[in-house]
Amino acid sequence: MGSGAEASVAERRPFPVSWDQFHRDCRALTWRLNAVGPFHAVVAITRGGLVPAAIVARELGLRVIDTICVASYAHDKQGELQVLKGVSEQTAALGGGTGKGLLIVDDLVDTGKTGRMVRDLLPDAHFATVYAKPKGKPLVDTFITEVSQDTWIFFPWDTGLSFQPPLKDGAA
């Protein structure tokens, strides 16, 4: 699901994002990144970074796509970080071991915990996210939309079409 790690469910501000909007935001991110590159490879932070990384890689014409697999969320609670898989030796070599020329992509930077961990692993890589919250924003080089820290983003892969009752009881 999206993110809003520190706010309780009742305190979160919902921010639903459709597939169309997400695709537009990813293309806007790519437009900004095109002026920053070139890049040797894209590194997606899984799982949220997989979709935007695919769009960015397509738009920039990049064929080398790798992942860094970090677990931090259990449904809607942020827990301890764990690197499940690092970047491959081949990708690390493209970045000279420090990430130079590599593009890290994620859907969102929230508290910055995951971002800090990935920055430590690839300090010279360019870090891009589609959405950024205030606590994590300083870790990101490029992003498209800033949302408040108490916002819970509902990404299109986490949602489905369903009936939405009117705000006022009995208005249906």
Side-chain angles (χ1 to χ4, degrees), residues 4-13 76-77 149-152:
E6 296 183 357
S8 72
V9 174
E11 298 169 339
R12 294 180 184 144
R13 295 178 186 195
D76 64 350
K77 301 266 191 275
Q149 200 66 43
D150 63 347
T151 295
W152 186 268

Side-chain angles (χ1 to χ4, degrees), residues 128-139:
T129 63
V130 183
Y131 306 106
K133 292 186 178 185
K135 287 185 179 179
K137 188 173 82 167
L139 292 163

Side-chain angles (χ1 to χ4, degrees), residues 83-148:
V83 176
L84 304 174
K85 177 202 158 294
V87 297
S88 70
E89 288 183 24
Q90 294 93 333
T91 302
L94 288 174
T98 65
K100 187 166 180 61
L102 300 182
L103 174 60
I104 300 167
V105 177
D106 205 354
D107 56 353
L108 164 77
V109 62
D110 189 334
T111 63
K113 290 179 184 176
T114 301
R116 268 188 221 87
M117 176 180 275
V118 174
R119 275 274 189 222
D120 289 344
L121 296 171
L122 299 167
D124 295 330
H126 189 91
F127 190 10
T129 63
V130 183
Y131 306 106
K133 292 186 178 185
K135 287 185 179 179
K137 188 173 82 167
L139 292 163
V140 179
D141 299 307
T142 305
F143 68 93
I144 290 300
T145 302
E146 182 174 358
V147 297
S148 64

Side-chain angles (χ1 to χ4, degrees), residues 22-98:
F22 193 72
H23 189 244
R24 280 190 298 272
D25 290 344
C26 289
R27 286 182 56 113
L29 179 65
T30 304
W31 185 81
R32 288 186 183 170
L33 292 169
N34 191 43
V36 177
F39 300 103
H40 305 300
V42 173
V43 177
I45 299 176
T46 68
R47 291 177 307 205
L50 288 169
V51 174
I55 295 167
V56 167
R58 178 200 184 263
E59 296 299 327
L60 292 178
L62 294 169
R63 300 282 182 170
V64 179
I65 304 169
D66 203 342
T67 58
I68 182 163
C69 305
V70 180
S72 64
Y73 281 92
H75 184 59
D76 64 350
K77 301 266 191 275
Q78 193 169 27
E80 292 299 315
L81 293 178
Q82 182 180 6
V83 176
L84 304 174
K85 177 202 158 294
V87 297
S88 70
E89 288 183 24
Q90 294 93 333
T91 302
L94 288 174
T98 65

